Amino acid sequence: MQVLKERKTTREFAPGKLRPQLLSNLLWAAFGINRPDGKRTAPSAMNWQEIDIYIAMAEGLFLYDAKENRLDPVLEQDIRQATGSQTFVATAPLNLIYVADLSKAGSGPETELFTAADVGFISQNVYLFCASENLATVVRGSIDRVSLSKAMKLRPNQKIILAQTVGYPKK
Ligand SMILES: Cc1cc2nc3c(=O)[nH]c(=O)nc-3n(C[C@H](O)[C@H](O)[C@H](O)COP(=O)(O)O)c2cc1C
């Protein structure tokens, strides 16, 4: 009840980085594995588990590996600025980018709806985690997907759905 009461969007971020354990907990809350059969903290249509979480930080771009509970390096460049059209994205410590791997999803008429819904659950997990840890967050659809896909060097069957900025609130 308390985290639901405190869930909210914030668009002002202090520049401080998240401690590694806090980042690890955030990603586990977002879409970590919570059962021995490999299922996750968020539901996914037909259990596709098709959403990958990329993390753009000053140190570069990383991919969350839920099985190993680890961040895999993808790019060394700081691409935070390319993750959205709002100015705070360039300086906030963390931008999560939710990317559907269409090779793991079905090819029916509902695929687009389902991948978007799957991201919604993950994003809400992040919102609730942020409420519990007094972090600031905003989910974002306002993204130049063509240029961000290029900056991230995504494959053609990877589709950017939404992004979400996280950081400490500005005092
Ligand atoms: C699918 C989706 C896309 C959104 N895109 C943006 C965005 O691009 N930029 C932004 O500042 N907020 C974005 N928001 C946040 C909404 O503006 C925000 O949730 C709404 O104003 C309600 O505020 P609250 O989250 O504090 O309840 C988005 C929210 C959703 C669900």
Side-chain angles (χ1 to χ4, degrees):
M1 294 298 275
Q2 193 65 30
V3 290
L4 287 167
K5 186 166 172 278
E6 288 174 19
R7 186 219 64 85
K8 64 172 189 283
T9 290
T10 306
R11 298 183 182 83
E12 287 190 318
F13 300 87
K17 287 180 187 172
L18 267 64
R19 288 177 284 109
Q21 187 61 55
L22 191 58
L23 175 56
S24 171
N25 291 355
L26 168 79
L27 292 168
W28 182 84
F31 203 33
I33 294 172
N34 67 357
R35 281 159 288 168
D37 63 3
K39 287 183 180 163
R40 319 282 285 262
T41 56
S44 70
M46 325 262 196
N47 193 27
W48 288 337
Q49 301 190 14
E50 82 286 12
I51 304 302
D52 287 317
I53 305 180
Y54 287 79
I55 302 99
M57 300 189 279
E59 298 89 332
L61 181 69
F62 298 82
L63 176 61
Y64 174 51
D65 180 339
K67 276 201 187 106
E68 304 296 334
N69 206 31
R70 172 178 87 191
L71 284 183
D72 292 331
V74 177
L75 295 172
E76 284 181 6
Q77 296 104 284
D78 178 359
I79 64 154
R80 286 177 296 171
Q81 200 199 336
T83 68
S85 52
Q86 291 160 287
T87 50
F88 59 76
V89 302
T91 50
L94 208 67
N95 287 284
L96 309 177
I97 305 134
Y98 302 124
V99 176
D101 180 348
L102 298 177
S103 71
K104 293 181 186 163
S107 54
E110 280 140 349
T111 297
E112 203 171 343
L113 275 177
F114 287 177
T115 54
D118 290 348
V119 166
F121 293 106
I122 295 171
S123 168
Q124 178 74 345
N125 283 352
V126 171
Y127 264 106
L128 295 179
F129 180 82
C130 288
S132 79
E133 293 287 346
N134 194 26
L135 293 169
T137 191
V138 52
V139 70
R140 300 184 286 101
S142 168
I143 303 165
D144 180 340
R145 288 176 174 72
V146 174
S147 67
L148 181 55
S149 296
K150 267 195 206 139
M152 293 173 71
K153 301 193 189 340
L154 295 181
R155 303 183 300 274
N157 61 2
Q158 287 184 290
K159 190 174 166 195
I160 296 166
I161 312 287
L162 293 171
Q164 187 158 4
T165 307
V166 178
Y168 292 105
K170 217 169 187 173
K171 295 259 161 63

